[in-house]
Amino acid sequence: MAPLSLPLNLKWTPLNLKATATATNKVTEMPLPEKIRNSRILVLGGTGRVGGSTAIALSNFCPDLQILVAGRNREKGEALAAKLGGNSEFARVDIDDVNSLETALKSVDLVVHAAGPFQRAERCSVLEAAINTRTAYVDVCDDTSYAWRAKSLMNRALDANVPAITTAGIYPGVSNVMAAELVRVANESKDKPERLRFYYYTAGTGGAGPTILATSFLLLGEEVVAYNKGEKIRMKPYSAMLNIDFGKGIGKRDVYLLNLPEVRSAHEILRVPTVSARFGTAPFFWNWGMEAMTALLPLEFLRDRNRVQSLVQLFDPFVRALDGIAGERVSMRVDLECASGRHTVGIFSHKRLSVSVGISTAAFALAILEGGTQPGVWFPEEPQGIPIEAREVLLGRASQGTFNFVMNRSPWTVETNPKEFGLGIYL
């Protein structure tokens, strides 16, 4: 089956794709160029929820790929490698050990860095090792400081002829590409993009495990950076709540300000003067709990990785139990408002975050293998990272299994139960 072809322009027919992903992360096998079908890919954090999901998605996209599931837990890693088939194997890799890391990288074509959390990390050690060994690189970073530290290695990556993409998961990642397409269409219609907003929702932790929980707590220790008419503004995390409609299957959800890397990258790269990002979860009391933590816990506590890890261990059993009830639906809504008053949105919704994040990350990995990414360190919205002509294929792959995926639509056409008052007027 050929990759989905989605015309990314003003005539884009809205897509409402039925979920095809299952508990085994099954996606449609994709025809790849012969020269990359046998590529060797190292997935760091492969024994975790995000890395494991990525390894499974890669194997399903192309069974010929040779996947090294890397981590510290041999039992879990070998079990997953056996599940993937004869082309996969476990590799014990310690990302804090430079020799271990570089030895592993020398034998692969691409490394996928999914060994988070990225918050409070002092160095981009995996990217540095990838540059030293001339290995293509992609990560699922969701931290602003880490992402721009990676970006600072641009010249070294250029000199080594290494293509690298940072923040390339689901959000940030696919959401950046969605934003880039909304902006591109507006620019082509000679309309000026003025306001870009990212809204995210997951049920519980999205089934993504302790790492996501640690990430969430660490983000509460970061001041939110947003942009208003070109001016950088700083706000308290988990503040300025909005009730946003994510469309069918999700409905209206409360979302709160959070410090996410796509805000700065979209502002600087897509040149949108007003940008912000908000996130919300369910059940509703988790949002209240997150607000309470920002009010009651000292910033020093929320910025300490060791203390946060202790907090995760305390909450994790309770969170796992609630996740079983809440499910793990995920939805992203990206809104763009232009100078003319034109307002367009993109929506991406999936029943299982733990599946969808792997499919999304695998889509970026395949894009790099296919050779479109230029040497250097890029964000997903930069055409040197994902070329404009490659975006439709990437979004087609990443959206497999979604139950609602639409782009370049007016808000009223995607929101829950819009009311028509006659003459084509909806509220």
Side-chain angles (χ1 to χ4, degrees):
M1 177 179 177
L4 296 175
S5 179
L6 314 179
L8 304 182
N9 53 45
L10 290 172
K11 297 181 180 180
W12 186 344
T13 302
L15 298 180
N16 291 280
L17 306 180
K18 295 186 181 295
T20 56
T22 68
T24 58
N25 299 28
K26 189 65 178 177
V27 299
T28 303
E29 184 177 340
M30 294 290 177
L32 298 176
E34 192 63 33
K35 64 179 181 178
I36 68 169
R37 288 190 64 83
N38 297 114
S39 295
R40 193 167 168 86
I41 303 172
L42 177 69
V43 181
L44 294 172
T47 55
R49 298 287 182 91
V50 176
S53 178
T54 300
I56 292 172
L58 283 167
S59 180
N60 285 328
F61 272 131
C62 181
D64 293 335
L65 291 172
Q66 301 176 52
I67 301 170
L68 273 70
V69 178
R72 299 179 181 180
N73 189 319
R74 177 173 294 277
E75 183 179 354
K76 288 178 64 176
E78 290 181 345
L80 177 57
K83 181 179 179 181
L84 297 179
N87 287 341
S88 300
E89 58 185 284
F90 171 74
R92 185 176 178 82
V93 179
D94 183 352
I95 66 172
D96 296 321
D97 182 335
V98 175
N99 291 331
S100 169
L101 190 54
E102 292 194 359
T103 298
L105 290 176
K106 288 175 182 177
S107 67
V108 300
D109 302 295
L110 169 70
V111 57
V112 178
H113 182 11
F118 293 87
Q119 285 72 21
R120 304 294 164 195
E122 297 179 355
R123 294 184 59 189
C124 300
S125 56
V126 177
L127 176 55
E128 291 181 26
I131 292 172
N132 291 341
T133 57
R134 300 180 183 270
T135 306
Y137 169 96
V138 62
D139 68 40
V140 296
C141 168
D142 49 7
D143 180 68
T144 303
S145 296
Y146 189 102
W148 285 92
R149 191 178 300 119
K151 191 70 170 170
S152 72
L153 298 173
M154 169 70 81
N155 289 337
R156 286 180 56 185
L158 286 170
D159 290 343
N161 199 36
V162 170
I165 301 180
T166 186
T167 69
I170 184 170
Y171 62 84
V174 172
S175 59
N176 302 51
V177 178
M178 292 170 66
E181 276 304 299
L182 293 178
V183 169
R184 180 187 67 81
V185 170
N187 286 333
E188 287 186 353
S189 63
K190 309 301 181 184
D191 210 347
K192 182 181 178 182
E194 289 194 338
R195 188 178 186 187
L196 181 65
R197 293 163 296 172
F198 296 92
Y199 302 122
Y200 305 126
Y201 164 79
T202 67
T205 63
T211 297
I212 295 300
L213 193 58
T215 295
S216 300
F217 290 161
L218 287 165
L219 281 171
L220 297 181
E222 295 186 7
E223 189 176 42
V224 173
V225 173
Y227 296 87
N228 183 37
K229 297 180 180 179
E231 180 183 354
K232 180 187 289 188
I233 55 177
R234 299 180 182 276
M235 292 169 286
K236 184 178 178 180
Y238 246 75
S239 62
M241 185 270 286
L242 292 176
N243 187 246
I244 298 300
D245 196 332
F246 288 90
K248 70 175 187 178
I250 303 293
K252 293 184 178 181
R253 302 289 176 172
D254 294 340
V255 290
Y256 304 76
L257 284 169
L258 210 56
N259 193 44
L260 296 172
E262 56 268 45
V263 171
R264 180 179 170 186
S265 62
H267 172 70
E268 296 190 12
I269 294 164
L270 301 180
R271 300 185 181 279
V272 182
T274 299
V275 189
S276 63
R278 285 177 168 84
F279 169 82
T281 186
F284 64 90
F285 53 76
W286 275 133
N287 292 321
W288 295 355
M290 299 289 262
E291 285 184 277
M293 288 178 67
T294 61
L296 299 176
L297 294 178
L299 285 179
E300 292 75 16
F301 184 98
L302 292 169
R303 292 173 177 174
D304 187 314
R305 285 171 65 109
N306 293 327
R307 289 182 176 180
V308 165
Q309 196 58 48
S310 298
L311 201 62
V312 168
Q313 292 175 0
L314 176 66
F315 277 96
D316 189 59
F318 183 54
V319 171
R320 297 280 74 74
L322 277 180
D323 274 3
I325 300 171
E328 52 175 289
R329 292 196 172 206
V330 59
S331 188
M332 306 185 289
R333 172 170 167 163
V334 184
D335 285 45
L336 179 68
E337 296 178 30
C338 296
S340 68
R342 180 172 176 264
H343 183 182
T344 55
V345 304
I347 290 182
F348 177 116
S349 300
H350 195 286
K351 289 183 178 179
R352 297 189 61 186
L353 173 61
S354 61
V355 171
S356 188
V357 67
I359 295 172
S360 297
T361 307
F364 280 101
L366 294 179
I368 292 181
L369 287 175
E370 287 170 329
T373 304
Q374 296 180 23
V377 182
W378 312 104
F379 288 106
E381 60 267 49
E382 292 185 278
Q384 299 94 332
I386 301 296
I388 292 173
E389 62 273 15
R391 288 175 184 166
E392 62 179 282
V393 173
L394 184 141
L395 289 176
R397 289 169 173 165
S399 63
Q400 283 208 40
T402 53
F403 61 83
N404 192 20
F405 177 53
V406 296
M407 282 288 293
N408 289 311
R409 293 281 296 272
S410 297
W412 65 264
T413 66
V414 298
E415 293 176 347
T416 308
N417 300 322
K419 298 183 182 297
E420 183 176 6
F421 286 81
L423 302 177
I425 297 174
Y426 287 78
L427 292 176

